[in-house]
Amino acid sequence: MAAIFLYPKIDKVIGSPNPYIFNFQKALAKNHHVVNAKSPNRGILSFFTHFFKADLFILNWPETIPEKKFGSVQKKLFMLFLKLAKAYSKKVVWILHNKGSHHKGENPVTKNMFDVLMAHSDYIITHSYAGKDFVSSAYPNYISKVHVIPHPLTEKLGEYRKGEKKFDFLIWGSIFPYKGIDVFLDYLRETPELKNTKVLIVGKCSDTKYKSKILSILPENAEFKDELLSLEEIAAYSVQAKFTLFTYKSQTVISSGSLIDSIRMGAIILGPDHGAFRDMKDLAFMHTFKNFNEIPKIISEFNPSDEQIEGDRNTFMNQNTWANFVEKIGNITGI
């Protein structure tokens, strides 16, 4: 049993957030002691209040620390933590979720955090070979630290059902510019082959400017519900859609929690040919495109009676449970 500090600590669920940390903590706690599991969230200060209790620190999204309140101060404290971790032989695992900042793009602050984390992490776990390729290209000196483990999944929320569908495409999740929904809507308006398709977009958009842009270009065959829904409510829409579409244009994306939940919902997925989407492109429930122009051909050739769809889904889910994820981290780190 290892003593593990898991970052970030989230105290409660509000609405429908990414449940990654909750699932991670639950899986770790089965065979290890998560030292900050029952402690209140103290942000960067928790690294120090739990420092001597933990042998292994598992960090998720630490590169975003400078973007938080009092970010410059938090960054300095984080740098101090990394120096102390090295001095006291504490092991640091960085879960590399993204290749940069989705929202801020390339910027020197995030680049500096990546530089620091590459150098000071003992192990780097990433959920897609795109993450490994990124390190190999941008930080080749640290490639030996990198290990690829697919994003783990919890239980199924549904299975694919062939038959008549109310919608051709479901796009769901929080609405941000990096997801490229506006680009797809422009394509939809200009493409005769898709003029009769029905599109449902479900997700909360807190960016009023971007929301106005989406509404201004929303074609008649597309519906936008600016709502924060539970996964069960989204799964009900998924059953009514032929495909769940991911329009991501950002190359910072390595994996996606929404992708993982869509697999759980029994969706047939259309996504960009990079990151975890590319890793899964040989599975019957996954179809990828290099650009939107490939979508009409993909949907015209889709066979809803393909028995391999649920076979591939079941195999993938059985191989990539949270228990297996923690076991693989244990094999890598020796905990």
Side-chain angles (χ1 to χ4, degrees), residues 62-78:
E63 65 274 14
T64 65
I65 286 174
E67 300 175 20
K68 302 181 184 299
K69 189 176 182 179
F70 304 117
S72 61
V73 175
Q74 292 206 49
K75 180 183 176 182
K76 289 178 182 177
L77 290 172
F78 181 68

Side-chain angles (χ1 to χ4, degrees), residues 175-177 205-212:
I175 309 297
F176 295 109
C205 184
S206 56
D207 185 330
T208 56
K209 184 178 179 180
Y210 190 59
K211 178 181 175 180
S212 296

